[in-house]
Amino acid sequence: MPFQIVLNIIIAIMWMFLSESYQFSTFLVGYLLGIGLLFILRRFIPDSFYMHRVWNFIKLMLLFIRELVLSNIDIVKVVYKPKLDIEPGIFALPIELKSNFEITLLANLITLTPGTLSIAVSDDHTKIYVHAMDIPDVEQSINEIKETFEKAIMEVTR
């Protein structure tokens, strides 16, 4: 992936030299042309096209923003109820992530989402212990995290 980024920047700089214009807009046009060239020639480059990862990263950030808004709405509903009828608890979230970066990213996304908190990672790095403010169904909570955050992280990092 870094090879493609460097190559794209070199193409953008070459475009600036050929255009004899050293402004940001010329660099941006050259960078976009570089993306187009790399896309056209992607079958000759051994790595996957790096813009797929950029797109997956953008989708991960949008997913986090969506979960953040929905969790905040859920928290507001709980706070404004006259009777507190929540089931707080701790559950072990089995994870398929391998690297420390992936595990840390998942733990931070869980913690930054209101109503949940990552407590610890197991010694063998196969589980994250999560405290949730309201857990009506543990399996549903596990599946929600695995199908949203964990899946999106694997798309970005692999």
Side-chain angles (χ1 to χ4, degrees):
M1 182 172 125
F3 167 74
Q4 290 182 15
I5 295 173
V6 170
L7 185 61
N8 201 358
I9 292 172
I10 290 171
I11 291 170
I13 292 171
M14 287 176 53
W15 179 259
M16 287 175 61
F17 287 140
L18 291 172
S19 300
E20 296 180 1
S21 173
Y22 306 104
Q23 299 172 352
F24 178 74
S25 60
T26 308
F27 178 82
L28 185 63
V29 168
Y31 192 79
L32 294 174
L33 284 172
I35 289 173
L37 281 173
L38 286 173
F39 183 74
I40 291 169
L41 300 173
R42 70 185 181 274
R43 72 175 114 168
F44 301 112
I45 299 173
D47 296 334
S48 64
F49 184 55
Y50 81 96
M51 289 305 288
H52 290 297
R53 282 195 182 178
V54 171
W55 175 245
N56 288 335
F57 178 75
I58 292 169
K59 288 191 325 189
L60 175 63
M61 290 299 103
L62 292 174
L63 170 70
F64 172 68
I65 291 169
R66 184 189 71 151
E67 291 295 324
L68 183 69
V69 169
L70 293 176
S71 295
N72 276 311
I73 291 170
D74 290 341
I75 297 296
V76 167
K77 287 178 185 176
V78 168
V79 168
Y80 283 119
K81 280 185 181 176
K83 184 176 186 280
L84 192 63
D85 58 346
I86 59 172
E87 297 176 28
I90 297 173
F91 62 92
L93 173 69
I95 55 175
E96 299 172 25
L97 304 173
K98 301 293 182 211
S99 73
N100 287 338
F101 173 74
E102 292 173 332
I103 295 169
T104 303
L105 182 59
L106 178 61
N108 285 333
L109 289 175
I110 290 170
T111 299
L112 289 171
T113 306
T116 56
L117 176 69
S118 300
I119 299 172
V121 177
S122 65
D123 292 334
D124 59 354
H125 300 289
T126 59
K127 293 181 186 133
I128 296 178
Y129 296 98
V130 178
H131 177 273
M133 190 177 80
D134 189 19
I135 315 174
D137 184 17
V138 174
E139 288 301 317
Q140 180 186 0
S141 299
I142 289 173
N143 288 334
E144 284 176 3
I145 294 173
K146 289 184 84 54
E147 290 299 317
T148 56
F149 289 138
E150 188 175 18
K151 182 179 174 185
I153 289 171
M154 286 194 290
E155 288 176 358
V156 170
T157 58
R158 296 183 185 174

